[in-house]
Amino acid sequence: MTCFGMMDQRSFRSLLLAVGIVGFLPSTLLAQQTADFADPQIKAALQEISAGQIQSDIEKLVSFQTRSTISAQDADSIKAGHGIGAAREWIKNEFERYSRDCGGCLEVKTDTFTQPASERVPAPTELTNVYAVLKGTNAEDAKRIVLVTGHYDSRNSGPLDGKGVAPGANDDGSGTAVSLECARVLSKLHFPGTIIFLTVAGEEQGLYGSKHFAELAKAQGWQIEAVLNNDIVGGDQSPGQDAKVVRVFSESIPDNASEQQLRAIRALGGENDSPSRGLARYITQTARIYGAEVAPLVEFRRDRYLRGGDHISFNEAGFAAVRFTEFQENYNHQHQNLRTENGIEYGDLPKFVNFDYVANVARLNAATLASLASAPEPPQNVRLETKGLTNDSTLIWDAPADGRASGYEVLWRATAAPDWEHSQSVSKALKATIPVSKDNVIFAVQAVDEAGHRSLPIVPVPER
């Protein structure tokens, strides 16, 4: 008999994975579905992502000494290259440089607001989110938005220390570098849908930047289909790290679910099929298609214990959002003043970051963004017939408004299975009968265009 107390973390996780208690790695059961398609344009773009460029970006962010939300942002500090204001201006300049390189294809914008005083903001403080928009080429699909984000602020041991050194190489220079590198590479391409490359401030003080941006998007009616939040994706080079795995966290019950929706979720066993969980599964599908060098380990929880991230702001606003984080974190290298005590070096420094790992995480993000921005709109009004007792299952849906779907795929899995296990292709018909009992599986339908791009899968609602 195995004694849990004698097992190391990786062995314990392997046991839990084997019995299905925690997150899952991508299944190979749908390999025949995905192996036949990988967009050559997207494949080529992924090869352009550079570990060297990512290293340069992270080292530049660290050079500002601190990016604390409450650090200096006056003109003199910006000119001296010190504080969050200087970091903000550099990020904006980088987006603008990418836009010049692609003939003005990016709209570079800022979202500036005053954050009132709070527990970690001692006085009203101006916060600025910096982002670039790659507008979709198709009038209908351009309304659909996919978004990648990282927070560019940093902190040390004291959340109210706006002057001390806070390198923030991993947390979250790595996530900021992912947004920047995705923008640099994907801005060279054209997609039907819109991509936003976002960097936010105020995360370490209370998710303030992302909260403001998510509420802005909701108030303006933006159709955000997916949010990829990268926070601590540096692959800290410590014992126990697995450079072949990145965790992907996703919420279960949607944060904004109504009481009627909650009753339906309880009745139908839909606790594991929130839009965010659907996005996480899409990421595993994308990893299979493009042969990702880092495997997404899907974690069935919103975030880690005692921690939070910017994806939560988007969840609370009603958007599908997930968090990417390295397999094993080293807490000596997070939220720490630079020092050495008892032979242990503390601080979030570039020398602890695995830049090749960050590049692989960026490739997975870029592949997901490009796949979603290339895909047709998901099928609409997906229903599962429950009019009578039968061991077959009939699904019905409406065609997406963009008119780009050339066919559909019905996916299903056992109710206890973490990932999609089976699929059946359907032509342009808007109905399919599957010889499987609806009582034993979870279904979804996704749209497919002529080139093979797949939309997010949509789980049906029962129709009597």
Side-chain angles (χ1 to χ4, degrees), residues 119-154:
E119 181 180 356
R120 291 188 174 185
V121 180
T125 300
E126 185 176 274
L127 272 65
T128 300
N129 301 318
V130 186
Y131 64 107
V133 181
L134 181 62
K135 193 74 172 177
T137 58
N138 179 290
E140 187 65 32
D141 282 306
K143 301 173 186 176
R144 298 166 41 231
I145 299 169
V146 293
L147 182 154
V148 61
T149 186
H151 70 86
Y152 71 94
D153 61 307
S154 66

PDB file of all heavy atoms in Angstrom, residues 119-154:
ATOM      1  N   GLU A 119      -7.272  49.374   0.750  1.00  0.00           N
ATOM      2  CA  GLU A 119      -6.322  48.764   1.676  1.00  0.00           C
ATOM      3  C   GLU A 119      -4.894  48.779   1.114  1.00  0.00           C
ATOM      4  O   GLU A 119      -3.935  48.994   1.845  1.00  0.00           O
ATOM      5  CB  GLU A 119      -6.749  47.326   1.974  1.00  0.00           C
ATOM      6  CG  GLU A 119      -5.832  46.607   2.956  1.00  0.00           C
ATOM      7  CD  GLU A 119      -6.274  45.185   3.237  1.00  0.00           C
ATOM      8  OE1 GLU A 119      -7.342  44.784   2.731  1.00  0.00           O
ATOM      9  OE2 GLU A 119      -5.544  44.471   3.953  1.00  0.00           O
ATOM     10  N   ARG A 120      -4.754  48.547  -0.192  1.00  0.00           N
ATOM     11  CA  ARG A 120      -3.422  48.492  -0.793  1.00  0.00           C
ATOM     12  C   ARG A 120      -3.144  49.678  -1.721  1.00  0.00           C
ATOM     13  O   ARG A 120      -2.146  49.691  -2.437  1.00  0.00           O
ATOM     14  CB  ARG A 120      -3.237  47.182  -1.554  1.00  0.00           C
ATOM     15  CG  ARG A 120      -3.169  45.962  -0.647  1.00  0.00           C
ATOM     16  CD  ARG A 120      -2.797  44.712  -1.424  1.00  0.00           C
ATOM     17  NE  ARG A 120      -2.595  43.572  -0.548  1.00  0.00           N
ATOM     18  CZ  ARG A 120      -2.176  42.376  -0.948  1.00  0.00           C
ATOM     19  NH1 ARG A 120      -1.921  42.173  -2.236  1.00  0.00           N
ATOM     20  NH2 ARG A 120      -2.006  41.395  -0.081  1.00  0.00           N
ATOM     21  N   VAL A 121      -4.045  50.653  -1.718  1.00  0.00           N
ATOM     22  CA  VAL A 121      -3.838  51.883  -2.483  1.00  0.00           C
ATOM     23  C   VAL A 121      -4.025  53.043  -1.502  1.00  0.00           C
ATOM     24  O   VAL A 121      -5.162  53.432  -1.210  1.00  0.00           O
ATOM     25  CB  VAL A 121      -4.824  51.989  -3.664  1.00  0.00           C
ATOM     26  CG1 VAL A 121      -4.593  53.279  -4.446  1.00  0.00           C
ATOM     27  CG2 VAL A 121      -4.697  50.785  -4.583  1.00  0.00           C
ATOM     28  N   PRO A 122      -2.933  53.576  -0.947  1.00  0.00           N
ATOM     29  CA  PRO A 122      -3.064  54.539   0.158  1.00  0.00           C
ATOM     30  C   PRO A 122      -3.699  55.866  -0.223  1.00  0.00           C
ATOM     31  O   PRO A 122      -4.210  56.571   0.642  1.00  0.00           O
ATOM     32  CB  PRO A 122      -1.607  54.736   0.612  1.00  0.00           C
ATOM     33  CG  PRO A 122      -0.768  54.311  -0.539  1.00  0.00           C
ATOM     34  CD  PRO A 122      -1.538  53.237  -1.239  1.00  0.00           C
ATOM     35  N   ALA A 123      -3.673  56.220  -1.499  1.00  0.00           N
ATOM     36  CA  ALA A 123      -4.281  57.474  -1.963  1.00  0.00           C
ATOM     37  C   ALA A 123      -4.834  57.247  -3.357  1.00  0.00           C
ATOM     38  O   ALA A 123      -4.405  56.320  -4.061  1.00  0.00           O
ATOM     39  CB  ALA A 123      -3.239  58.586  -1.979  1.00  0.00           C
ATOM     40  N   PRO A 124      -5.824  58.042  -3.782  1.00  0.00           N
ATOM     41  CA  PRO A 124      -6.338  57.887  -5.152  1.00  0.00           C
ATOM     42  C   PRO A 124      -5.177  57.887  -6.150  1.00  0.00           C
ATOM     43  O   PRO A 124      -4.310  58.752  -6.119  1.00  0.00           O
ATOM     44  CB  PRO A 124      -7.244  59.103  -5.326  1.00  0.00           C
ATOM     45  CG  PRO A 124      -7.697  59.418  -3.937  1.00  0.00           C
ATOM     46  CD  PRO A 124      -6.520  59.120  -3.050  1.00  0.00           C
ATOM     47  N   THR A 125      -5.167  56.881  -7.022  1.00  0.00           N
ATOM     48  CA  THR A 125      -4.024  56.654  -7.910  1.00  0.00           C
ATOM     49  C   THR A 125      -4.495  56.401  -9.328  1.00  0.00           C
ATOM     50  O   THR A 125      -5.451  55.647  -9.553  1.00  0.00           O
ATOM     51  CB  THR A 125      -3.202  55.442  -7.415  1.00  0.00           C
ATOM     52  OG1 THR A 125      -2.727  55.709  -6.085  1.00  0.00           O
ATOM     53  CG2 THR A 125      -2.016  55.172  -8.322  1.00  0.00           C
ATOM     54  N   GLU A 126      -3.815  57.007 -10.285  1.00  0.00           N
ATOM     55  CA  GLU A 126      -4.136  56.787 -11.695  1.00  0.00           C
ATOM     56  C   GLU A 126      -3.555  55.448 -12.150  1.00  0.00           C
ATOM     57  O   GLU A 126      -2.366  55.178 -11.970  1.00  0.00           O
ATOM     58  CB  GLU A 126      -3.579  57.920 -12.543  1.00  0.00           C
ATOM     59  CG  GLU A 126      -3.964  57.833 -14.013  1.00  0.00           C
ATOM     60  CD  GLU A 126      -3.479  59.018 -14.818  1.00  0.00           C
ATOM     61  OE1 GLU A 126      -4.198  60.048 -14.860  1.00  0.00           O
ATOM     62  OE2 GLU A 126      -2.376  58.916 -15.392  1.00  0.00           O
ATOM     63  N   LEU A 127      -4.400  54.609 -12.728  1.00  0.00           N
ATOM     64  CA  LEU A 127      -3.993  53.322 -13.281  1.00  0.00           C
ATOM     65  C   LEU A 127      -4.248  53.323 -14.778  1.00  0.00           C
ATOM     66  O   LEU A 127      -5.236  53.901 -15.238  1.00  0.00           O
ATOM     67  CB  LEU A 127      -4.768  52.160 -12.645  1.00  0.00           C
ATOM     68  CG  LEU A 127      -4.199  51.540 -11.358  1.00  0.00           C
ATOM     69  CD1 LEU A 127      -4.219  52.548 -10.217  1.00  0.00           C
ATOM     70  CD2 LEU A 127      -5.009  50.302 -10.976  1.00  0.00           C
ATOM     71  N   THR A 128      -3.370  52.674 -15.517  1.00  0.00           N
ATOM     72  CA  THR A 128      -3.509  52.632 -16.972  1.00  0.00           C
ATOM     73  C   THR A 128      -3.304  51.216 -17.489  1.00  0.00           C
ATOM     74  O   THR A 128      -2.249  50.607 -17.242  1.00  0.00           O
ATOM     75  CB  THR A 128      -2.507  53.571 -17.660  1.00  0.00           C
ATOM     76  OG1 THR A 128      -2.737  54.913 -17.211  1.00  0.00           O
ATOM     77  CG2 THR A 128      -2.662  53.508 -19.170  1.00  0.00           C
ATOM     78  N   ASN A 129      -4.294  50.708 -18.171  1.00  0.00           N
ATOM     79  CA  ASN A 129      -4.160  49.466 -18.928  1.00  0.00           C
ATOM     80  C   ASN A 129      -3.736  49.830 -20.347  1.00  0.00           C
ATOM     81  O   ASN A 129      -4.272  50.768 -20.939  1.00  0.00           O
ATOM     82  CB  ASN A 129      -5.486  48.705 -18.968  1.00  0.00           C
ATOM     83  CG  ASN A 129      -5.995  48.349 -17.586  1.00  0.00           C
ATOM     84  OD1 ASN A 129      -5.236  47.931 -16.722  1.00  0.00           O
ATOM     85  ND2 ASN A 129      -7.300  48.527 -17.364  1.00  0.00           N
ATOM     86  N   VAL A 130      -2.803  49.084 -20.888  1.00  0.00           N
ATOM     87  CA  VAL A 130      -2.300  49.356 -22.237  1.00  0.00           C
ATOM     88  C   VAL A 130      -2.649  48.155 -23.109  1.00  0.00           C
ATOM     89  O   VAL A 130      -2.400  47.014 -22.721  1.00  0.00           O
ATOM     90  CB  VAL A 130      -0.774  49.575 -22.241  1.00  0.00           C
ATOM     91  CG1 VAL A 130      -0.303  50.005 -23.627  1.00  0.00           C
ATOM     92  CG2 VAL A 130      -0.376  50.606 -21.189  1.00  0.00           C
ATOM     93  N   TYR A 131      -3.213  48.426 -24.302  1.00  0.00           N
ATOM     94  CA  TYR A 131      -3.610  47.299 -25.146  1.00  0.00           C
ATOM     95  C   TYR A 131      -3.551  47.654 -26.618  1.00  0.00           C
ATOM     96  O   TYR A 131      -3.516  48.831 -27.000  1.00  0.00           O
ATOM     97  CB  TYR A 131      -4.999  46.793 -24.755  1.00  0.00           C
ATOM     98  CG  TYR A 131      -6.157  47.745 -24.937  1.00  0.00           C
ATOM     99  CD1 TYR A 131      -7.086  47.562 -25.953  1.00  0.00           C
ATOM    100  CD2 TYR A 131      -6.369  48.804 -24.056  1.00  0.00           C
ATOM    101  CE1 TYR A 131      -8.178  48.412 -26.107  1.00  0.00           C
ATOM    102  CE2 TYR A 131      -7.449  49.656 -24.188  1.00  0.00           C
ATOM    103  CZ  TYR A 131      -8.351  49.452 -25.222  1.00  0.00           C
ATOM    104  OH  TYR A 131      -9.436  50.301 -25.369  1.00  0.00           O
ATOM    105  N   ALA A 132      -3.523  46.615 -27.434  1.00  0.00           N
ATOM    106  CA  ALA A 132      -3.497  46.777 -28.883  1.00  0.00           C
ATOM    107  C   ALA A 132      -4.581  45.895 -29.480  1.00  0.00           C
ATOM    108  O   ALA A 132      -4.758  44.737 -29.060  1.00  0.00           O
ATOM    109  CB  ALA A 132      -2.132  46.401 -29.448  1.00  0.00           C
ATOM    110  N   VAL A 133      -5.305  46.419 -30.457  1.00  0.00           N
ATOM    111  CA  VAL A 133      -6.425  45.721 -31.086  1.00  0.00           C
ATOM    112  C   VAL A 133      -6.063  45.370 -32.526  1.00  0.00           C
ATOM    113  O   VAL A 133      -5.726  46.261 -33.321  1.00  0.00           O
ATOM    114  CB  VAL A 133      -7.702  46.584 -31.066  1.00  0.00           C
ATOM    115  CG1 VAL A 133      -8.868  45.820 -31.698  1.00  0.00           C
ATOM    116  CG2 VAL A 133      -8.038  47.019 -29.643  1.00  0.00           C
ATOM    117  N   LEU A 134      -6.112  44.086 -32.849  1.00  0.00           N
ATOM    118  CA  LEU A 134      -5.962  43.624 -34.225  1.00  0.00           C
ATOM    119  C   LEU A 134      -7.367  43.344 -34.739  1.00  0.00           C
ATOM    120  O   LEU A 134      -7.961  42.304 -34.455  1.00  0.00           O
ATOM    121  CB  LEU A 134      -5.093  42.367 -34.285  1.00  0.00           C
ATOM    122  CG  LEU A 134      -4.818  41.785 -35.685  1.00  0.00           C
ATOM    123  CD1 LEU A 134      -4.050  42.780 -36.545  1.00  0.00           C
ATOM    124  CD2 LEU A 134      -4.063  40.461 -35.571  1.00  0.00           C
ATOM    125  N   LYS A 135      -7.923  44.289 -35.476  1.00  0.00           N
ATOM    126  CA  LYS A 135      -9.317  44.231 -35.900  1.00  0.00           C
ATOM    127  C   LYS A 135      -9.531  43.116 -36.915  1.00  0.00           C
ATOM    128  O   LYS A 135      -8.728  42.925 -37.834  1.00  0.00           O
ATOM    129  CB  LYS A 135      -9.715  45.572 -36.524  1.00  0.00           C
ATOM    130  CG  LYS A 135     -11.209  45.762 -36.715  1.00  0.00           C
ATOM    131  CD  LYS A 135     -11.905  46.026 -35.397  1.00  0.00           C
ATOM    132  CE  LYS A 135     -13.370  46.417 -35.613  1.00  0.00           C
ATOM    133  NZ  LYS A 135     -14.081  46.613 -34.342  1.00  0.00           N
ATOM    134  N   GLY A 136     -10.628  42.385 -36.766  1.00  0.00           N
ATOM    135  CA  GLY A 136     -10.962  41.317 -37.688  1.00  0.00           C
ATOM    136  C   GLY A 136     -11.296  41.841 -39.072  1.00  0.00           C
ATOM    137  O   GLY A 136     -11.768  42.976 -39.233  1.00  0.00           O
ATOM    138  N   THR A 137     -11.085  40.998 -40.074  1.00  0.00           N
ATOM    139  CA  THR A 137     -11.293  41.407 -41.470  1.00  0.00           C
ATOM    140  C   THR A 137     -12.701  41.156 -41.966  1.00  0.00           C
ATOM    141  O   THR A 137     -13.095  41.680 -43.004  1.00  0.00           O
ATOM    142  CB  THR A 137     -10.310  40.651 -42.376  1.00  0.00           C
ATOM    143  OG1 THR A 137     -10.510  39.234 -42.213  1.00  0.00           O
ATOM    144  CG2 THR A 137      -8.860  40.986 -42.028  1.00  0.00           C
ATOM    145  N   ASN A 138     -13.462  40.333 -41.238  1.00  0.00           N
ATOM    146  CA  ASN A 138     -14.826  40.011 -41.636  1.00  0.00           C
ATOM    147  C   ASN A 138     -15.786  40.839 -40.801  1.00  0.00           C
ATOM    148  O   ASN A 138     -15.708  40.831 -39.559  1.00  0.00           O
ATOM    149  CB  ASN A 138     -15.079  38.509 -41.449  1.00  0.00           C
ATOM    150  CG  ASN A 138     -16.483  38.087 -41.810  1.00  0.00           C
ATOM    151  OD1 ASN A 138     -17.444  38.425 -41.116  1.00  0.00           O
ATOM    152  ND2 ASN A 138     -16.625  37.327 -42.884  1.00  0.00           N
ATOM    153  N   ALA A 139     -16.683  41.565 -41.444  1.00  0.00           N
ATOM    154  CA  ALA A 139     -17.544  42.514 -40.733  1.00  0.00           C
ATOM    155  C   ALA A 139     -18.302  41.863 -39.584  1.00  0.00           C
ATOM    156  O   ALA A 139     -18.386  42.425 -38.485  1.00  0.00           O
ATOM    157  CB  ALA A 139     -18.514  43.170 -41.712  1.00  0.00           C
ATOM    158  N   GLU A 140     -18.855  40.682 -39.815  1.00  0.00           N
ATOM    159  CA  GLU A 140     -19.624  40.001 -38.771  1.00  0.00           C
ATOM    160  C   GLU A 140     -18.707  39.415 -37.704  1.00  0.00           C
ATOM    161  O   GLU A 140     -18.928  39.576 -36.507  1.00  0.00           O
ATOM    162  CB  GLU A 140     -20.497  38.903 -39.382  1.00  0.00           C
ATOM    163  CG  GLU A 140     -21.469  38.249 -38.403  1.00  0.00           C
ATOM    164  CD  GLU A 140     -22.531  39.202 -37.878  1.00  0.00           C
ATOM    165  OE1 GLU A 140     -22.926  40.116 -38.627  1.00  0.00           O
ATOM    166  OE2 GLU A 140     -22.960  39.029 -36.719  1.00  0.00           O
ATOM    167  N   ASP A 141     -17.644  38.737 -38.142  1.00  0.00           N
ATOM    168  CA  ASP A 141     -16.741  38.083 -37.189  1.00  0.00           C
ATOM    169  C   ASP A 141     -15.904  39.077 -36.400  1.00  0.00           C
ATOM    170  O   ASP A 141     -15.442  38.760 -35.297  1.00  0.00           O
ATOM    171  CB  ASP A 141     -15.815  37.119 -37.922  1.00  0.00           C
ATOM    172  CG  ASP A 141     -16.509  35.815 -38.281  1.00  0.00           C
ATOM    173  OD1 ASP A 141     -17.075  35.181 -37.381  1.00  0.00           O
ATOM    174  OD2 ASP A 141     -16.496  35.439 -39.467  1.00  0.00           O
ATOM    175  N   ALA A 142     -15.678  40.261 -36.939  1.00  0.00           N
ATOM    176  CA  ALA A 142     -14.879  41.257 -36.233  1.00  0.00           C
ATOM    177  C   ALA A 142     -15.520  41.673 -34.913  1.00  0.00           C
ATOM    178  O   ALA A 142     -14.836  42.186 -34.013  1.00  0.00           O
ATOM    179  CB  ALA A 142     -14.660  42.487 -37.117  1.00  0.00           C
ATOM    180  N   LYS A 143     -16.815  41.452 -34.769  1.00  0.00           N
ATOM    181  CA  LYS A 143     -17.491  41.750 -33.506  1.00  0.00           C
ATOM    182  C   LYS A 143     -17.071  40.786 -32.405  1.00  0.00           C
ATOM    183  O   LYS A 143     -17.199  41.095 -31.227  1.00  0.00           O
ATOM    184  CB  LYS A 143     -19.010  41.670 -33.698  1.00  0.00           C
ATOM    185  CG  LYS A 143     -19.567  42.620 -34.745  1.00  0.00           C
ATOM    186  CD  LYS A 143     -21.051  42.352 -34.975  1.00  0.00           C
ATOM    187  CE  LYS A 143     -21.609  43.190 -36.113  1.00  0.00           C
ATOM    188  NZ  LYS A 143     -23.040  42.850 -36.389  1.00  0.00           N
ATOM    189  N   ARG A 144     -16.605  39.617 -32.818  1.00  0.00           N
ATOM    190  CA  ARG A 144     -16.176  38.588 -31.864  1.00  0.00           C
ATOM    191  C   ARG A 144     -14.720  38.837 -31.472  1.00  0.00           C
ATOM    192  O   ARG A 144     -13.867  39.048 -32.317  1.00  0.00           O
ATOM    193  CB  ARG A 144     -16.327  37.194 -32.474  1.00  0.00           C
ATOM    194  CG  ARG A 144     -17.760  36.838 -32.829  1.00  0.00           C
ATOM    195  CD  ARG A 144     -17.840  35.623 -33.732  1.00  0.00           C
ATOM    196  NE  ARG A 144     -16.905  34.592 -33.326  1.00  0.00           N
ATOM    197  CZ  ARG A 144     -16.042  34.007 -34.152  1.00  0.00           C
ATOM    198  NH1 ARG A 144     -15.984  34.354 -35.422  1.00  0.00           N
ATOM    199  NH2 ARG A 144     -15.223  33.076 -33.703  1.00  0.00           N
ATOM    200  N   ILE A 145     -14.452  38.800 -30.170  1.00  0.00           N
ATOM    201  CA  ILE A 145     -13.133  39.174 -29.649  1.00  0.00           C
ATOM    202  C   ILE A 145     -12.545  38.021 -28.838  1.00  0.00           C
ATOM    203  O   ILE A 145     -13.233  37.405 -28.020  1.00  0.00           O
ATOM    204  CB  ILE A 145     -13.238  40.420 -28.756  1.00  0.00           C
ATOM    205  CG1 ILE A 145     -13.769  41.613 -29.557  1.00  0.00           C
ATOM    206  CG2 ILE A 145     -11.900  40.756 -28.113  1.00  0.00           C
ATOM    207  CD1 ILE A 145     -14.158  42.802 -28.683  1.00  0.00           C
ATOM    208  N   VAL A 146     -11.270  37.748 -29.079  1.00  0.00           N
ATOM    209  CA  VAL A 146     -10.492  36.892 -28.185  1.00  0.00           C
ATOM    210  C   VAL A 146      -9.367  37.751 -27.633  1.00  0.00           C
ATOM    211  O   VAL A 146      -8.863  38.659 -28.312  1.00  0.00           O
ATOM    212  CB  VAL A 146      -9.965  35.636 -28.902  1.00  0.00           C
ATOM    213  CG1 VAL A 146     -11.121  34.729 -29.280  1.00  0.00           C
ATOM    214  CG2 VAL A 146      -9.146  35.987 -30.126  1.00  0.00           C
ATOM    215  N   LEU A 147      -8.962  37.479 -26.404  1.00  0.00           N
ATOM    216  CA  LEU A 147      -8.095  38.413 -25.683  1.00  0.00           C
ATOM    217  C   LEU A 147      -7.033  37.647 -24.906  1.00  0.00           C
ATOM    218  O   LEU A 147      -7.325  36.621 -24.277  1.00  0.00           O
ATOM    219  CB  LEU A 147      -8.965  39.256 -24.753  1.00  0.00           C
ATOM    220  CG  LEU A 147      -8.364  40.349 -23.892  1.00  0.00           C
ATOM    221  CD1 LEU A 147      -9.429  41.421 -23.591  1.00  0.00           C
ATOM    222  CD2 LEU A 147      -7.821  39.816 -22.572  1.00  0.00           C
ATOM    223  N   VAL A 148      -5.807  38.156 -24.937  1.00  0.00           N
ATOM    224  CA  VAL A 148      -4.723  37.616 -24.107  1.00  0.00           C
ATOM    225  C   VAL A 148      -4.250  38.735 -23.193  1.00  0.00           C
ATOM    226  O   VAL A 148      -4.173  39.899 -23.596  1.00  0.00           O
ATOM    227  CB  VAL A 148      -3.572  37.073 -24.977  1.00  0.00           C
ATOM    228  CG1 VAL A 148      -2.947  38.160 -25.848  1.00  0.00           C
ATOM    229  CG2 VAL A 148      -2.508  36.396 -24.116  1.00  0.00           C
ATOM    230  N   THR A 149      -3.935  38.402 -21.949  1.00  0.00           N
ATOM    231  CA  THR A 149      -3.559  39.437 -20.991  1.00  0.00           C
ATOM    232  C   THR A 149      -2.506  38.938 -20.014  1.00  0.00           C
ATOM    233  O   THR A 149      -2.374  37.742 -19.745  1.00  0.00           O
ATOM    234  CB  THR A 149      -4.787  39.942 -20.222  1.00  0.00           C
ATOM    235  OG1 THR A 149      -4.398  41.049 -19.385  1.00  0.00           O
ATOM    236  CG2 THR A 149      -5.398  38.853 -19.351  1.00  0.00           C
ATOM    237  N   GLY A 150      -1.750  39.900 -19.491  1.00  0.00           N
ATOM    238  CA  GLY A 150      -0.829  39.690 -18.378  1.00  0.00           C
ATOM    239  C   GLY A 150      -0.758  41.003 -17.619  1.00  0.00           C
ATOM    240  O   GLY A 150      -1.062  42.066 -18.179  1.00  0.00           O
ATOM    241  N   HIS A 151      -0.374  40.967 -16.347  1.00  0.00           N
ATOM    242  CA  HIS A 151      -0.301  42.231 -15.599  1.00  0.00           C
ATOM    243  C   HIS A 151       1.146  42.712 -15.537  1.00  0.00           C
ATOM    244  O   HIS A 151       2.070  41.944 -15.278  1.00  0.00           O
ATOM    245  CB  HIS A 151      -0.930  42.101 -14.208  1.00  0.00           C
ATOM    246  CG  HIS A 151      -0.185  41.267 -13.208  1.00  0.00           C
ATOM    247  ND1 HIS A 151       0.820  41.773 -12.414  1.00  0.00           N
ATOM    248  CD2 HIS A 151      -0.313  39.967 -12.853  1.00  0.00           C
ATOM    249  CE1 HIS A 151       1.266  40.827 -11.611  1.00  0.00           C
ATOM    250  NE2 HIS A 151       0.604  39.716 -11.861  1.00  0.00           N
ATOM    251  N   TYR A 152       1.329  43.997 -15.831  1.00  0.00           N
ATOM    252  CA  TYR A 152       2.686  44.532 -15.901  1.00  0.00           C
ATOM    253  C   TYR A 152       3.155  45.157 -14.588  1.00  0.00           C
ATOM    254  O   TYR A 152       4.322  45.555 -14.463  1.00  0.00           O
ATOM    255  CB  TYR A 152       2.843  45.510 -17.070  1.00  0.00           C
ATOM    256  CG  TYR A 152       2.149  46.849 -16.957  1.00  0.00           C
ATOM    257  CD1 TYR A 152       2.813  47.967 -16.456  1.00  0.00           C
ATOM    258  CD2 TYR A 152       0.849  47.020 -17.414  1.00  0.00           C
ATOM    259  CE1 TYR A 152       2.203  49.205 -16.401  1.00  0.00           C
ATOM    260  CE2 TYR A 152       0.222  48.260 -17.364  1.00  0.00           C
ATOM    261  CZ  TYR A 152       0.904  49.347 -16.855  1.00  0.00           C
ATOM    262  OH  TYR A 152       0.281  50.580 -16.801  1.00  0.00           O
ATOM    263  N   ASP A 153       2.283  45.235 -13.583  1.00  0.00           N
ATOM    264  CA  ASP A 153       2.723  45.729 -12.282  1.00  0.00           C
ATOM    265  C   ASP A 153       3.458  44.631 -11.526  1.00  0.00           C
ATOM    266  O   ASP A 153       3.320  43.435 -11.835  1.00  0.00           O
ATOM    267  CB  ASP A 153       1.538  46.246 -11.469  1.00  0.00           C
ATOM    268  CG  ASP A 153       0.489  45.179 -11.182  1.00  0.00           C
ATOM    269  OD1 ASP A 153       0.029  44.530 -12.149  1.00  0.00           O
ATOM    270  OD2 ASP A 153       0.129  44.978 -10.007  1.00  0.00           O
ATOM    271  N   SER A 154       4.245  45.013 -10.533  1.00  0.00           N
ATOM    272  CA  SER A 154       4.997  44.059  -9.724  1.00  0.00           C
ATOM    273  C   SER A 154       4.911  44.472  -8.260  1.00  0.00           C
ATOM    274  O   SER A 154       4.394  45.554  -7.931  1.00  0.00           O
ATOM    275  CB  SER A 154       6.466  44.012 -10.176  1.00  0.00           C
ATOM    276  OG  SER A 154       7.122  45.251  -9.907  1.00  0.00           O
TER     277      SER A 154
END
